Amino acid sequence: MNTAMLLEHITQGDVLRQRRAIAKAITLLESTRADHRAQGDELLTALLPHTGRALRLGISGVPGVGKSTFIESLGVFLIEKGHRVAVLAVDPSSSVSGGSILGDKTRMERLAGLSDAYIRPSPSGGTLGGVAEKTREAMLVCEAAGYDVVLIETVGVGQSETAVSGMTDMFVLLQLPNAGDDLQAIKKGVMELADLVVINKADIDPHAATRARVQIQTALRLLGLQGNPQRMTYVAEGAGGAASTLARWQPRVMQLSGLQGQGLDAFWQAVTEFQATQTTNGALTERRQQQALAWMWERIDAGLKAAFRAHAQVRAALPDITQSVTQGHLPPSTAARRLLALTAEGQA
Amino acid sequence: MNTAMLLEHITQGDVLRQRRAIAKAITLLESTRADHRAQGDELLTALLPHTGRALRLGISGVPGVGKSTFIESLGVFLIEKGHRVAVLAVDPSSSVSGGSILGDKTRMERLAGLSDAYIRPSPSGGTLGGVAEKTREAMLVCEAAGYDVVLIETVGVGQSETAVSGMTDMFVLLQLPNAGDDLQAIKKGVMELADLVVINKADIDPHAATRARVQIQTALRLLGLQGNPQRMTYVAEGAGGAASTLARWQPRVMQLSGLQGQGLDAFWQAVTEFQATQTTNGALTERRQQQALAWMWERIDAGLKAAFRAHAQVRAALPDITQSVTQGHLPPSTAARRLLALTAEGQA
């Protein structure tokens, strides 16, 4: 199928034709063949004017926190409200484990059965940067197909949360009502990324959930991630109507039960307020522009690294130089200069 | 002065001649002139066989925690025990602030007056990678001059703690007896780097210091950075005599007062145990080899980035491409491929 036809089917096809075109486009974009890559670039560029209208929501949390159940409940809830929901994933471990998240669509049976839902597991293989790139491009395809809410799930593997935060408008962190869970999130820098912290499974032990909420609120304040409550109220009010352009979103903490479907209304209300605040103050547009540039530079730097490591003369010289460095005969900085000098660009 | 003479003065000169040669060598290594750089590489390679015998100690902590006072007390203490002590710093903000740490030697008057102490402020200017590189090379010069303890101070600016941890054998984190201080350290990932956490200023409020110590111990356990107490005891005993090759160092927490000089004995005892454990189990050698290779690759990647950004055709094309990306006309991944194709190496 040529690019023009793919584009037409994605943006205007009936549901079945559209699904097939989306799958075909994503497969094309995931291909490493040079001619596919060229056609993929052409398609992406053609799709771009049709993208950007969806709300992009990143959802993270340790295994067992109930991400799939939450996403399924949320997806069904949103589709009942008239939305079209795409669910994607970034799981750099999926090549090893065979896909720990979204690998098995049956885990979201109810959602997968709806015609307004599109679910795709994490691309497998390669570096986190490569996996993230494929998911970013799949997101653009889904947006062009008219999905207006894109949920991107991730597990706490390596820097995957940072990658997902870097491609979404809002980053939601699911937490269990456990002590220590929040310390892990702080340690990994995930708390810093969160626009909203959700204590899930609040139905099991409401007291523990409330304790966890207070703990995390204290932690957010101590970390300087959250202003004082007055300021938060102000922002919440501002988003409702007479918003000041200075109003900045303050990360919030809330509790819900994904399994019982309790709290989804309040959750979506918070997401809507976030969107209103960030649209009014311009942060949404700015965040997307910064993400686009960061993405470009990330791909450039990854490309430079890969090209250097694949360079014939570098590969030939590397074993001896590496050995000299580990044995302490050659200073690392001298070794770096020597290797860089082997490539045309490194000499600049 | 030629390389051979510099080498001779550094490794065999009397104190005054040695000091002058060290200063000259470091100035040479910090120069960006191509001929200096070539001579610097020659000197570093010649110095290398004389390096590696010092204990390299990284010392970090937020401003106000009392790093300078602690380092001065420790330095004087060690020189009285017969050591020769070099004090270096990594402060990537020093080009802006004029040097927030070690910029003013008078802050360490007592130590600076001793002939067995060598103090050098942070190199200024450039990226963290560049600043770290200069400090690493200065460390090698000091080691070749026979300083057997190298203390490298850093403040919590950007990733400077990671850089210092990446050039030292042991990383010490100074903490105030304050709630929240430890959360900041966890947030920044510094707690993870620490081989030893020291609650400083314990003399001011011993109860708060004890509370902080317990809190941090709990945090280390919850973060999975510390085993159970039995295992710690085992390691501590093992280091004293019949050490198992499997014994791994477990991060510890202790309190002291740098100002009063209280606890320095216990501190140095812990450092000595660390050194014994890590020497016996091979971790010290392994850490240094990994650091050398990581240093080499860090410099290579920095060199690739710099060369790419300085490339004439890239510079010419960048403004238009950047604009297309931020305006949403060009997908970031396509933009990256287009820019990479402009350089000879990027095409590989």
Side-chain angles (χ1 to χ4, degrees):
Chain A
M1 212 186 293
N2 66 27
T3 308
M5 196 172 292
L6 259 178
L7 177 69
E8 193 190 311
H9 286 194
I10 289 170
T11 55
Q12 299 162 36
D14 58 65
V15 171
L16 272 182
R17 193 173 286 183
Q18 192 182 53
R19 274 182 191 272
R20 271 201 302 272
I22 292 174
K24 206 162 268 184
I26 293 178
T27 304
L28 177 71
L29 292 167
E30 291 187 354
S31 169
T32 51
R33 266 176 52 184
D35 58 330
H36 286 173
R37 200 56 261 183
Q39 204 199 334
D41 277 344
E42 195 191 342
L43 175 67
L44 268 186
T45 307
L47 286 175
L48 219 50
H50 304 275
T51 66
R53 282 184 296 267
L55 177 73
R56 303 164 179 174
L57 207 59
I59 295 173
S60 175
V62 294
V65 75
K67 282 189 301 297
S68 298
T69 307
F70 173 71
I71 289 173
E72 172 153 59
S73 299
L74 179 64
V76 172
F77 170 86
L78 291 173
I79 287 172
E80 280 169 4
K81 286 171 79 87
H83 292 285
R84 295 186 67 211
V85 179
V87 183
L88 307 171
V90 171
D91 178 7
S93 72
S94 63
S95 55
V96 184
S97 66
S100 59
I101 53 175
L102 291 180
D104 182 7
K105 277 195 196 180
T106 57
R107 289 195 306 145
M108 294 196 189
E109 249 179 353
R110 206 156 46 106
L111 185 61
L114 301 177
S115 66
D116 282 327
Y118 182 84
I119 303 180
R120 190 171 174 96
S122 176
S124 64
T127 60
L128 170 60
V131 170
E133 162 104 345
K134 291 172 192 172
T135 301
R136 276 192 183 105
E137 295 182 344
M139 174 175 77
L140 297 180
V141 175
C142 292
E143 289 187 1
Y147 291 93
D148 65 329
V149 178
V150 181
L151 306 177
I152 305 186
E153 178 181 7
T154 189
V155 288
V157 177
Q159 295 290 304
S160 59
E161 286 103 341
T162 309
V164 168
S165 164
M167 67 176 83
T168 52
D169 300 323
M170 183 176 192
F171 188 77
V172 177
L173 173 65
L174 297 192
Q175 292 274 95
L176 287 169
N178 285 346
D181 200 25
D182 48 338
L183 279 190
Q184 288 290 350
I186 294 170
K187 172 189 165 192
K188 297 183 69 256
V190 185
M191 195 69 87
E192 243 175 310
L193 303 173
D195 298 301
L196 190 60
V197 179
V198 171
I199 320 283
N200 195 20
K201 304 194 178 177
D203 53 312
I204 295 173
D205 185 346
H207 293 293
T210 302
R211 263 201 315 277
R213 183 164 56 76
V214 172
Q215 253 177 28
I216 293 173
Q217 262 160 349
T218 308
L220 287 174
R221 238 189 333 272
L222 286 171
L223 292 172
L225 299 175
Q226 199 181 53
N228 59 49
Q230 283 73 34
R231 173 129 184 93
M232 284 183 64
T233 311
Y234 163 71
V235 173
E237 282 168 2
S244 156
T245 49
L246 291 171
R248 277 180 53 229
W249 178 259
Q250 301 277 343
R252 294 193 199 168
V253 188
M254 58 188 301
Q255 23 189 124
L256 60 70
S257 163
L259 190 63
Q260 310 281 328
Q262 281 164 5
L264 285 176
D265 258 321
F267 174 80
W268 195 246
Q269 175 64 25
V271 171
T272 310
E273 280 177 30
F274 174 87
Q275 200 177 13
T277 305
Q278 301 292 83
T279 304
T280 308
N281 66 16
L284 196 67
T285 305
E286 202 188 320
R287 182 164 169 165
R288 285 187 175 186
Q289 288 182 348
Q290 285 174 354
Q291 285 174 342
L293 285 181
W295 175 6
M296 179 184 86
W297 283 111
E298 193 270 329
R299 289 289 82 198
I300 287 173
D301 291 337
L304 290 173
K305 282 187 188 193
F308 184 82
R309 284 151 177 79
H311 191 281
Q313 281 167 277
V314 170
R315 287 166 63 100
L318 199 56
D320 278 354
I321 289 188
T322 302
Q323 200 179 21
S324 297
V325 168
T326 50
Q327 291 180 345
H329 301 146
L330 189 65
S333 42
T334 307
R337 277 186 285 275
R338 204 172 283 182
L339 285 166
L340 283 169
L342 294 175
T343 70
E345 303 309 331
Q347 287 163 358
Chain B
M1 214 186 291
N2 66 28
T3 307
M5 199 174 289
L6 260 178
L7 178 69
E8 193 190 313
H9 286 194
I10 289 171
T11 54
Q12 297 163 36
D14 58 64
V15 171
L16 274 181
R17 191 174 285 185
Q18 191 181 51
R19 273 182 193 272
R20 273 201 303 272
I22 292 173
K24 206 162 268 182
I26 293 177
T27 304
L28 177 72
L29 292 167
E30 291 186 355
S31 169
T32 51
R33 266 177 51 185
D35 57 331
H36 286 174
R37 199 57 260 185
Q39 205 200 333
D41 277 344
E42 194 190 342
L43 176 66
L44 268 186
T45 308
L47 286 175
L48 219 49
H50 304 275
T51 66
R53 281 184 296 264
L55 177 73
R56 302 164 179 174
L57 208 59
I59 295 173
S60 175
V62 295
V65 75
K67 282 189 300 299
S68 297
T69 307
F70 173 70
I71 289 172
E72 173 154 57
S73 298
L74 179 64
V76 172
F77 170 86
L78 290 174
I79 287 172
E80 280 169 5
K81 285 171 80 87
H83 292 284
R84 295 186 69 208
V85 179
V87 182
L88 307 171
V90 171
D91 178 7
S93 73
S94 63
S95 54
V96 183
S97 66
S100 60
I101 52 174
L102 291 180
D104 182 7
K105 278 195 195 180
T106 58
R107 290 193 306 143
M108 293 195 189
E109 251 179 350
R110 209 157 42 108
L111 186 61
L114 301 177
S115 65
D116 282 327
Y118 182 83
I119 303 181
R120 190 173 174 96
S122 177
S124 63
T127 60
L128 170 60
V131 169
E133 161 104 345
K134 291 171 192 172
T135 301
R136 276 193 184 104
E137 295 182 345
M139 176 174 77
L140 298 181
V141 174
C142 291
E143 288 187 1
Y147 292 92
D148 66 328
V149 178
V150 181
L151 306 176
I152 305 187
E153 179 180 7
T154 189
V155 288
V157 176
Q159 294 290 304
S160 61
E161 286 103 340
T162 310
V164 169
S165 164
M167 67 177 83
T168 51
D169 300 322
M170 183 176 193
F171 189 76
V172 177
L173 174 65
L174 295 193
Q175 292 274 94
L176 287 169
N178 285 347
D181 198 26
D182 49 336
L183 279 189
Q184 289 290 350
I186 294 170
K187 172 188 167 193
K188 297 181 70 258
V190 185
M191 196 69 85
E192 244 174 309
L193 303 174
D195 298 301
L196 189 60
V197 179
V198 171
I199 320 285
N200 196 19
K201 303 193 180 180
D203 53 313
I204 296 173
D205 186 345
H207 293 295
T210 302
R211 265 201 312 279
R213 183 165 55 79
V214 172
Q215 255 176 26
I216 294 173
Q217 262 161 349
T218 307
L220 286 175
R221 239 190 332 271
L222 286 169
L223 292 171
L225 299 175
Q226 200 181 51
N228 59 49
Q230 283 74 34
R231 173 132 184 90
M232 284 182 66
T233 311
Y234 163 69
V235 173
E237 282 168 2
S244 156
T245 50
L246 291 170
R248 278 180 53 229
W249 178 258
Q250 302 277 344
R252 295 193 197 168
V253 189
M254 58 188 301
Q255 3 183 145
L256 59 71
S257 163
L259 190 63
Q260 310 282 330
Q262 283 164 3
L264 286 176
D265 259 320
F267 173 80
W268 195 246
Q269 174 64 25
V271 172
T272 309
E273 280 176 31
F274 174 87
Q275 200 177 13
T277 305
Q278 300 292 84
T279 304
T280 307
N281 66 17
L284 195 67
T285 304
E286 201 189 322
R287 182 163 169 166
R288 286 189 173 183
Q289 288 182 348
Q290 284 173 354
Q291 285 174 341
L293 285 182
W295 176 5
M296 178 184 86
W297 283 111
E298 193 270 329
R299 289 290 82 197
I300 287 173
D301 291 337
L304 290 173
K305 283 188 187 191
F308 184 83
R309 284 150 179 79
H311 191 280
Q313 282 167 277
V314 170
R315 287 166 64 98
L318 198 55
D320 279 354
I321 288 188
T322 302
Q323 200 179 22
S324 299
V325 168
T326 50
Q327 290 180 346
H329 302 146
L330 188 64
S333 42
T334 307
R337 275 186 286 274
R338 204 171 285 180
L339 285 167
L340 282 169
L342 295 175
T343 68
E345 302 309 332
Q347 288 163 357

